[in-house]
Amino acid sequence: MSAALDAAAINAAAERIGGVVVATPLQISERLSAATGAQVYLKREDLQSVRSYKIRGAYNVMSMLTDAERAAGVVAASAGNHAQGVAYAARTMKINSRIYVPTSTPKQKRDRIRWHGGEFVELISVGDTYDAAAAAAQADVLETGATWIHAFDDTRTAAGQGTISKEIVEQLGQLPDLVIVPVGGGGAIAGMTTYLRSLSDQVRIVGVEPTGAVSLSAALVDGGPVTLSGIDPFVDGAAVKRIGGLGHQVMSQAGATVAAHPDLPPSATVHRGHEKLPAGSVHITHVDEGAICSAMLELYQNEGIIAEPAGALAVTALEDLPIEPGWTVVCLLSGGNNDVSRYGEVIERSLVHRGLKHYFLVDFPQEPGALRGFLNEVLGPDDDITLFEYVKRNNRETGAALVGVELGAPGGLSPLLDRMNSSRLICERLEPGSPAYRYLT
């Protein structure tokens, strides 16, 4: 089904989903406001019944299905949050559904999908990315004639997500100066941009992708959606290899510019450096996965907010954007479906990003006191060993150990390296991103 994506469609979606979707709080963040000099608000979509905004689009689409389409059942693909919206709607409307998710989808999300859908959902894990799950779901649709509920590349889905902008304006009582939106498949930013542009051409809009999955940026540089050769699946809610055609179309028509990225070719649309954000500008940027982890931990420790990686994208971007004092800024906190078992990796990535965690291969002499010498002569007073894996080899004079070191401060790395070079030990630093680093950690 094809329908226009405009303010009228978004207003109609708001009426359609109003009895189901929560009007989530728009909360001022004193911490982020003080850090930027702006008035920074968090749009708390993590407080939806399914802990993300995805219920808006899913419920809007499914409430518009014909009787025949409902009878055929529905099929969806999702990294987890859209699936929960579909599952919730399926149980509410008593529509049988089959939902495909990547095998990398956290257990917490898979459990919540089953809980929301009950007897009306069949959950199928396939492939290691959203795109692989989507391909399996589309094959299902072709074989069974079920109704396809797209996570983002459908004007009805985008209209549902666009209701977030409508709520923001109503809650503020005015137009914001800047709205920051996480980007995965592009449905949310398409709907939200459409609504904001229907009211004014002066609102600034920034879309934020994880550095390891810049599908919208690549599409804007290339002139159309392209399939990325590989992505980092850590930010599962935004790890999409190919942006939706709708998201690209809306952003392209809005004149979006793109932040420089090492994997993007030179283009007139690419910004290099920290240009200002003029009134009415639309800009797509990206943030490192480690920085996202740091933002997640800060949200938890300071505001008590449990954000999933994609949910923290907008907040993470605040640090690098040229925000002017006095602006009214809204960050979409898009979801809170984070599996507690992932916090070990979250902390690890944050420490590496902040320059506090480092790994080394150290050749120790096969003699008593070698480790004590390392502790006394090489480690600084505030440094700590967090990992030590060592196998003694009796037929060799030295034995290699993998050593993880957490520094007391980022500036401690250079003195540590100097002490290593001055010692009689052979120490090799494993650089983040190198094959050895990925293998050993």
Side-chain angles (χ1 to χ4, degrees):
M1 176 179 177
S2 177
L5 176 60
D6 52 26
I10 293 168
N11 286 325
E15 290 290 328
R16 203 173 287 120
I17 68 180
V20 174
V21 170
V22 176
T24 53
L26 186 67
Q27 296 178 344
I28 188 78
S29 171
E30 299 293 347
R31 174 177 64 90
L32 297 173
S33 296
T36 60
Q39 290 289 103
V40 178
Y41 292 85
L42 303 179
K43 180 57 173 167
R44 295 290 306 278
E45 285 296 291
D46 59 304
L47 297 179
Q48 286 290 351
S49 57
V50 299
R51 300 181 190 168
S52 88
Y53 72 90
K54 289 287 192 174
I55 189 174
R56 295 174 182 268
Y59 202 92
N60 187 50
V61 175
M62 291 177 66
S63 65
M64 297 173 70
L65 298 180
T66 65
D67 290 342
E69 288 172 325
R70 293 187 183 203
V74 301
V75 167
S78 168
N81 286 343
H82 174 65
Q84 292 185 60
V86 171
Y88 182 98
R91 188 174 66 173
T92 302
M93 301 179 192
K94 295 181 170 52
I95 301 173
N96 291 322
S97 65
R98 286 185 299 282
I99 299 175
Y100 291 77
V101 298
T103 55
S104 57
T105 298
K107 181 178 183 299
Q108 184 268 353
K109 288 188 177 183
R110 286 183 274 123
D111 290 344
R112 295 289 293 177
I113 293 164
R114 294 187 182 97
W115 188 88
H116 284 299
E119 63 183 297
F120 292 96
V121 65
E122 178 185 353
L123 185 63
I124 304 162
S125 297
V126 59
D128 58 359
T129 64
Y130 163 80
D131 303 84
Q138 289 171 325
D140 184 324
V141 169
L142 291 174
E143 181 179 348
T144 65
T147 303
W148 173 237
I149 310 297
H150 205 292
F152 49 83
D153 206 14
D154 185 316
T155 55
R156 298 166 297 174
T157 304
Q161 325 301 30
T163 61
I164 301 170
S165 284
K166 178 178 171 65
E167 278 183 22
I168 288 171
V169 174
E170 291 172 349
Q171 290 170 322
L172 277 177
Q174 64 181 47
L175 288 169
D177 295 293
L178 169 64
V179 177
I180 308 177
V181 184
V183 176
I189 198 168
M192 293 178 69
T193 298
T194 297
Y195 187 82
L196 291 169
R197 280 291 174 267
S198 75
L199 300 179
S200 170
D201 60 0
Q202 296 299 296
V203 179
R204 301 164 181 84
I205 299 165
V206 169
V208 188
E209 299 181 288
T211 296
V214 290
S215 60
L216 176 54
S217 298
L220 289 168
V221 169
D222 200 68
V226 294
T227 301
L228 302 179
S229 59
I231 58 175
D232 185 336
F234 175 74
V235 187
D236 49 286
V240 176
K241 280 189 174 182
R242 185 181 181 91
I243 197 73
L246 177 62
H248 170 260
Q249 178 186 354
V250 173
M251 291 298 98
S252 180
Q253 291 175 349
T257 57
V258 176
H261 186 283
D263 294 336
L264 296 178
S267 166
T269 64
V270 173
H271 271 191
R272 300 187 184 278
H274 294 278
E275 290 90 345
K276 290 185 177 181
L277 294 173
S281 62
V282 180
H283 184 58
I284 309 302
T285 189
H286 55 87
V287 290
D288 179 76
E289 284 75 8
I292 296 167
C293 291
S294 295
M296 290 171 64
L297 294 172
E298 288 168 359
L299 284 167
Y300 178 72
Q301 292 169 345
N302 291 284
E303 285 83 21
I305 294 173
I306 299 175
E308 63 185 273
L313 276 170
V315 170
T316 308
L318 281 172
E319 184 176 354
D320 293 326
L321 291 175
I323 294 172
E324 296 184 12
W327 279 2
T328 298
V329 179
V330 178
C331 295
L332 173 57
L333 208 162
S334 59
N337 284 298
N338 194 47
D339 194 325
V340 68
S341 66
R342 303 182 75 192
Y343 269 104
E345 183 181 4
V346 170
I347 293 170
E348 172 80 8
R349 284 181 178 249
S350 174
L351 289 170
V352 171
H353 170 75
R354 293 160 56 203
L356 295 174
K357 188 71 174 286
H358 303 273
Y359 290 93
F360 303 89
L361 286 176
V362 180
D363 265 357
F364 284 94
Q366 295 292 280
E367 62 187 33
L371 177 57
R372 184 179 299 278
F374 178 81
L375 296 175
N376 294 337
E377 301 168 15
V378 176
L379 283 192
D382 298 320
D383 300 339
D384 188 24
I385 291 180
T386 60
L387 175 70
F388 191 94
E389 295 183 3
Y390 174 51
V391 178
K392 184 175 181 179
R393 302 179 185 277
N394 293 322
N395 61 337
R396 297 184 59 181
E397 294 182 354
T398 62
L402 171 63
V403 182
V405 177
E406 184 175 335
L407 304 177
L413 178 60
S414 181
L416 175 65
L417 294 176
D418 289 341
R419 291 191 297 271
M420 285 182 169
N421 291 333
S422 299
S423 76
R424 62 191 182 112
L425 302 175
I426 299 174
C427 305
E428 177 188 353
R429 183 186 174 199
L430 301 183
E431 295 288 348
S434 67
Y437 186 96
R438 289 194 298 268
Y439 175 76
L440 291 170
T441 62

